[in-house]
Amino acid sequence: MLEAVVRASPDARPAENIRGIAVSEGLVIGRVRVIRDAVARVARKVVSKEQAKDEVTRYLHALKASVMELDALYKQAEKEMGKKAAEIFVFHRGMLSDKSLVEPIRKRIETESVCAEWAVQQAFTEIAALYAKNTNSVFASKVNDIHDLSQRLLRHLMGTQPAKLSDLEEGTVIVARDLTPSQTAAFDRAKLAGFATDLGGKTSHTAIVARALGIPAVVGCQALLSRVSDGDLIILDADRGIAIVHPSPEQLEEYRAIIEQKRLYRLSLTDVAALPAVTQDGTSIELLGNIEFAEEVPAVLGMGGQGVGLYRTEFLYLARDTEPTEGDHYLAYKTCLEELTADGQSRPLTIRTVDLGADKYTQSRAEVPERNPFLGCRSIRYCLQPRALPMFRKQLRAILRASGLRPGVIKVMFPLISSVGEFRQAKYLVNDAMEDLAEEGLAFDPDIPLGMMVEVPSAALMAETFAREVDFFSIGTNDLVQYTLAVDRTNERVANLYTPTHPAVIRLIRDVIRSARRHRTPVSCCGEAASEPDFALLLMGLGLRTLSVTASSVPHLKRLVRSVSIAQCERIARQALSFDSEAQIATFLRDRARKIVPEAFDGRTAE
Ligand code: PEP
Ligand code: MG
């Protein structure tokens, strides 16, 4: 988290609070730098047949230059922001290599005898319109990328330079209608204190990049741009999703105090990482890390995590153009395993089999996208269809081979299991892969635990049955909340309804834990809610002893665990279950968490 404090006298104008969507935490007081869309506009220029040939050549050169530029941008972004955020440029690169986009532009130049700029602009405008019309938010969110790409090609054709964004002053808060991935990659990060945009949602690229960089960001502010000018004083409260323009002296003083308190709290967390996660009454809580890439394992361990509770392996597919081979899978798992056991200790590595579909990967590649991909062929369903079986088998073989390197470390977890048949089918495929490996004389762990995520109500309601079949459960609240409450987790319009404190969600979690206990089936939680101190108290009170969260949340949780007793958590859980509204439960849990770890809060009331 980056918190810059700009020493400045307040503006004379009245303060205005503008609400948006918080996408990466942090507070900052800074000076506004407005970025306006500089759209290159081109006119339709008709050329002779002969000149059209030259236009095609110019177009192909611009295409090549853009691809080279994107390769360089990917490398730079990967180094500075990590693989996940850099994927955006892989998508851009993929589009420019897509014949169905590139060829029609060439043909348009030839058949209509028009200049290359016009053909490019027309083609991209048409695609953007198609994407914008699509009700699927995954496609709609790509309009900004299409715009970014078309501007890149046009710049190369017109020989113009990209807007310079590297001359920022320290403590700058960028305010824009929206930001393209290329713009965000070009900022001088040492000077950039925060972003605020009028457009965008929780999963927009600005949000992903802001999180990857650890920079406070508020998106979806709707009317911020029209209220600010360059140099205006602004408070960006990304914890609560608010931008305060022209803050008053009192607001500035209040925020400076909060920023200082948060700084001290963060400093205090560095000592906590090395301490055991044991409650005041002596119960050990296992704190594990959620990762998307093998390279994140050292961060998990550095933050005091005791292993990996969720490895989202679909990112092996999302970060590249081609499907990973069995060798790619194996190498990734081996890398994690080696990091986790480097000092001779045996720390768990829970590998979740690919969770593709819904908003990840398949829709952008499908000839006919699904109308409702979150209720469609995603996750384990996708893997079990005949077309995807070879891909799934490849992954299972790689996991098993890696398990042979150090038996007892790797566990396999299947996502989105909604019926017993699915789990049995997946288990059958694992056994099949074991037989093949045995025939080939390759080592594997024959007792590798096979578990499932509980992230749909049908699985939670059938937990008693599943508990007899599986080796472990991990509750995935991110999806469990969306499917229990019928609230799309990526749709900002219903974001206010997406709440893990809904009594229905809590009852499902309680019942899963009870069933697991009866059958001595280990159970954990790996959804985002587990990283909220309020919700973690409830989970411990309901009986969970293993929580898996992003690396940066581990020290926060450790501090909480060490400050509370299980008896206290159980009382909290009992009381929470007695309320019938999500708002009551949320307020109650927040209040309790505030009392237990006041230093984790900043003294403000929750909004
Ligand atoms: C979940 O659904 O809670 C989960 C951890 O999986 P993902 O966020 O990858 O869907
Ligand atoms: Mg999930």
Side-chain angles (χ1 to χ4, degrees), residues 123-143:
F124 278 91
T125 307
E126 284 160 17
I127 299 170
L130 268 182
Y131 273 51
K133 257 200 276 172
N134 201 309
T135 48
N136 181 336
S137 61
V138 180
F139 282 86
S141 70
K142 297 261 187 275
V143 173

Side-chain angles (χ1 to χ4, degrees), residues 474-529:
S474 189
I475 301 170
T477 48
N478 302 345
D479 277 314
L480 187 61
V481 171
Q482 101 164 326
Y483 292 124
T484 305
L485 305 181
V487 176
D488 178 346
R489 66 192 256 195
T490 64
N491 182 348
E492 63 277 5
R493 288 184 223 173
V494 285
N496 59 325
L497 300 177
Y498 183 94
T499 163
T501 55
H502 193 293
V505 175
I506 296 175
R507 280 169 173 69
L508 285 178
I509 294 175
R510 175 198 60 189
D511 294 349
V512 172
I513 297 171
R514 278 186 185 163
S515 300
R517 268 198 176 161
R518 273 197 287 275
H519 294 272
R520 296 179 191 282
T521 306
V523 55
S524 63
C525 178
C526 62
E528 294 296 316

Side-chain angles (χ1 to χ4, degrees), residues 352 355 378 455 479 489:
R352 179 176 77 181
D355 188 9
R378 68 168 291 205
E455 46 189 350
D479 277 314
R489 66 192 256 195

